Amino acid sequence: MNWLKQQVANVAGTAEPIYGPSALRSVAQQAETTPYTELKKEDLRWVAMESTCVETQVFYLMADSGHIGLAQVIYSNVAGLRTTCQFNTKIFYPDGKTPNLWSSDTLENHGFDDEQLCFYADGCAVDLSEDGTFYSIKSATNESSIVNLKVTRKTPGFQVGKDGKSYFGTDPNKPWGSMRHAFWPRCDAEGTIITKAGPIDFKGRAMFIHALQGMKPHHAAAKWNFVNFQSPTYTAVMMEYTTPPSYGSSVVNVGGLMQDGEIICAGSSNSASYLEIADDPDNEWPEPAAVKFEWSGTTKDGKPVTAELAGSLGLRLDKVDVMAEVPGFVKAIIGGVAGTKPYIYQYCPQQRLKLLLNIGGEEKVEEGILFSEATFISE
């Protein structure tokens, strides 16, 4: 009966019944015995589910010039009835004056290579190299942002646990939903995004994330925190979500710490907290003003690791009213659910934050660039 209620919620877009926290099998359970696994090439295959899902590949860019950007492919399916793909780009300018550039275009005639590792559509291609070490991202779907980028992995990729997945459902043997994240946290970027004002050189750092929400996104998560910190020596990444009350408002956190060539540690023993909030009068969400992100884990040779990143977020880069700006297919997935009013707050503090890192009692401190998002979907 629970399965039937869940399917009705999927098709109708309604809120789910209260199943309780036992209906979530968090990836943290896998991480107790296998904190993380390094990604193989086959772990980067597109799943392209034929049931309700949102699957994304997103490249976060930090140019040496100070520009922050992202390029993203979204594959979505609504109840197995309609599949839509979208290519998004966004550029934040370092002068603090130039308006953010946002492009979002529906893709036609999408498809994949035989191994499901490369994505194609009219005017768009995201190709994984034969040796599995770099992606090339090309898009001419929007004259305002013509994309020609290469993102090369500098450390092994990882997923938390054995398969990176949390599972949703009252029967552990037949989950009705899942959530997975796979990371290339520390990459080099090169190439350009050509805007109407001219080309922007995105030579610098990058992070790549492949995510699959194998259910309606607002059924899996009510809010999110995302951390992408890059310094000359280190990278810190965190993706945290809190489920809706239907799954006990449970918190799932995946993340890790890297340096060139190696993963220092990764797992699910991390946390995100808001030290100060600035209530947004537009929607009453608790917009973060100052934050603290914490990581803990163990190196391959057994040394304990802790890290902390804390401070003021400064002026936000953007506030995205998702229902006003996202493509129609996302609205179709979210539907007219009462209490669903998604907003994304994006930050890159001008006052650079310092990562405090302790590896086996040896302390390191390094300043770097933080790109952070706080997303609120439902109460």
Side-chain angles (χ1 to χ4, degrees):
M1 192 63 189
N2 276 333
W3 178 86
L4 179 61
K5 288 178 188 172
Q6 207 277 335
Q7 296 309 304
V8 169
N10 261 352
V11 176
T14 53
E16 293 189 283
I18 301 295
Y19 305 115
S22 62
L24 170 70
R25 211 153 25 108
S26 168
V27 71
Q29 294 176 27
Q30 298 180 36
E32 290 173 5
T33 53
T34 306
Y36 69 94
T37 49
E38 292 189 7
L39 296 180
K40 303 184 181 75
K41 190 177 175 184
E42 55 265 29
D43 294 321
L44 297 168
R45 287 192 173 115
W46 284 87
V47 180
M49 291 172 61
E50 294 183 4
S51 55
T52 297
C53 71
V54 176
E55 186 170 8
T56 64
Q57 287 193 341
V58 57
F59 301 86
Y60 294 95
L61 310 165
M62 291 181 175
D64 293 342
S65 62
H67 293 82
I68 303 287
L70 65 84
Q72 178 185 44
V73 174
I74 304 178
Y75 171 102
S76 81
N77 187 309
V78 182
L81 304 173
R82 179 167 170 252
T83 299
T84 313
C85 295
Q86 200 85 5
F87 188 81
N88 298 331
T89 57
K90 191 165 190 175
I91 299 172
F92 303 99
Y93 292 82
D95 62 10
K97 300 172 187 173
T98 306
N100 302 330
L101 179 67
W102 167 248
S103 303
S104 183
D105 296 277
T106 302
L107 299 173
E108 304 294 339
N109 301 314
H110 78 275
F112 305 92
D113 68 339
D114 291 343
E115 293 184 273
Q116 297 279 111
L117 292 167
C118 302
F119 174 92
Y120 304 105
D122 291 352
C124 180
V126 179
D127 283 312
L128 180 62
S129 63
E130 192 63 39
D131 64 1
T133 61
F134 69 87
Y135 277 95
S136 62
I137 307 103
K138 298 183 179 181
S139 173
T141 57
N142 193 304
E143 291 181 359
S144 297
S145 51
I146 297 171
V147 177
N148 185 2
L149 297 167
K150 179 182 178 183
V151 170
T152 304
R153 178 168 57 78
K154 301 305 289 181
T155 61
F158 79 94
Q159 59 191 0
V160 168
K162 294 176 182 175
D163 64 4
K165 286 186 181 179
S166 293
Y167 294 92
F168 296 75
T170 48
D171 182 348
N173 298 314
K174 294 180 181 177
W176 56 54
S178 64
M179 178 85 79
R180 175 182 182 256
H181 290 89
F183 302 90
W184 281 8
R186 190 170 176 85
C187 304
D188 283 344
E190 58 186 282
T192 60
I193 298 178
I194 301 174
T195 72
K196 289 186 174 177
I200 297 173
D201 185 351
F202 269 97
K203 182 181 186 306
R205 285 268 174 228
M207 178 181 288
F208 163 69
I209 301 176
H210 187 148
L212 173 61
Q213 302 183 49
M215 58 199 296
K216 289 201 169 193
H218 64 287
H219 285 175
K223 56 185 176 183
W224 291 86
N225 288 295
F226 169 57
V227 180
N228 171 9
F229 176 85
Q230 305 282 348
S231 74
T233 312
Y234 303 108
T235 291
V237 59
M238 184 187 296
M239 188 73 79
E240 180 186 273
Y241 63 93
T242 303
T243 71
S246 46
Y247 298 98
S249 299
S250 304
V251 177
V252 179
N253 188 310
V254 293
L257 303 162
M258 293 77 213
Q259 58 189 13
D260 276 348
E262 67 172 316
I263 297 170
I264 299 170
C265 71
S268 62
S269 301
N270 321 301
S271 66
S273 56
Y274 299 165
L275 303 177
E276 297 174 23
I277 59 170
D279 288 316
D280 187 338
D282 290 345
N283 51 41
E284 299 176 352
W285 288 127
E287 178 190 353
V291 291
K292 181 164 74 170
F293 304 119
E294 296 176 287
W295 291 260
S296 66
T298 308
T299 63
K300 284 181 179 176
D301 55 1
K303 292 177 184 172
V305 180
T306 60
E308 180 183 297
L309 190 63
S312 170
L313 291 171
L315 295 173
R316 66 177 177 233
L317 293 174
D318 202 5
K319 179 176 81 171
V320 181
D321 178 348
V322 175
M323 295 307 271
E325 294 194 28
V326 299
F329 72 83
V330 175
K331 294 175 192 174
I333 290 178
I334 294 175
V337 183
T340 301
K341 45 182 181 180
Y343 279 80
I344 304 170
Y345 299 86
Q346 297 172 310
Y347 307 90
C348 180
Q350 289 182 310
Q351 186 72 41
R352 293 194 174 181
L353 302 186
K354 292 177 180 176
L355 181 71
L356 311 179
L357 183 62
N358 186 309
I359 304 174
E362 186 180 352
E363 295 189 347
K364 316 260 189 182
V365 179
E366 192 160 281
E367 192 176 82
I369 300 170
L370 169 67
F371 176 78
S372 179
E373 292 182 331
T375 301
F376 300 96
I377 299 169
S378 60
E379 298 290 354

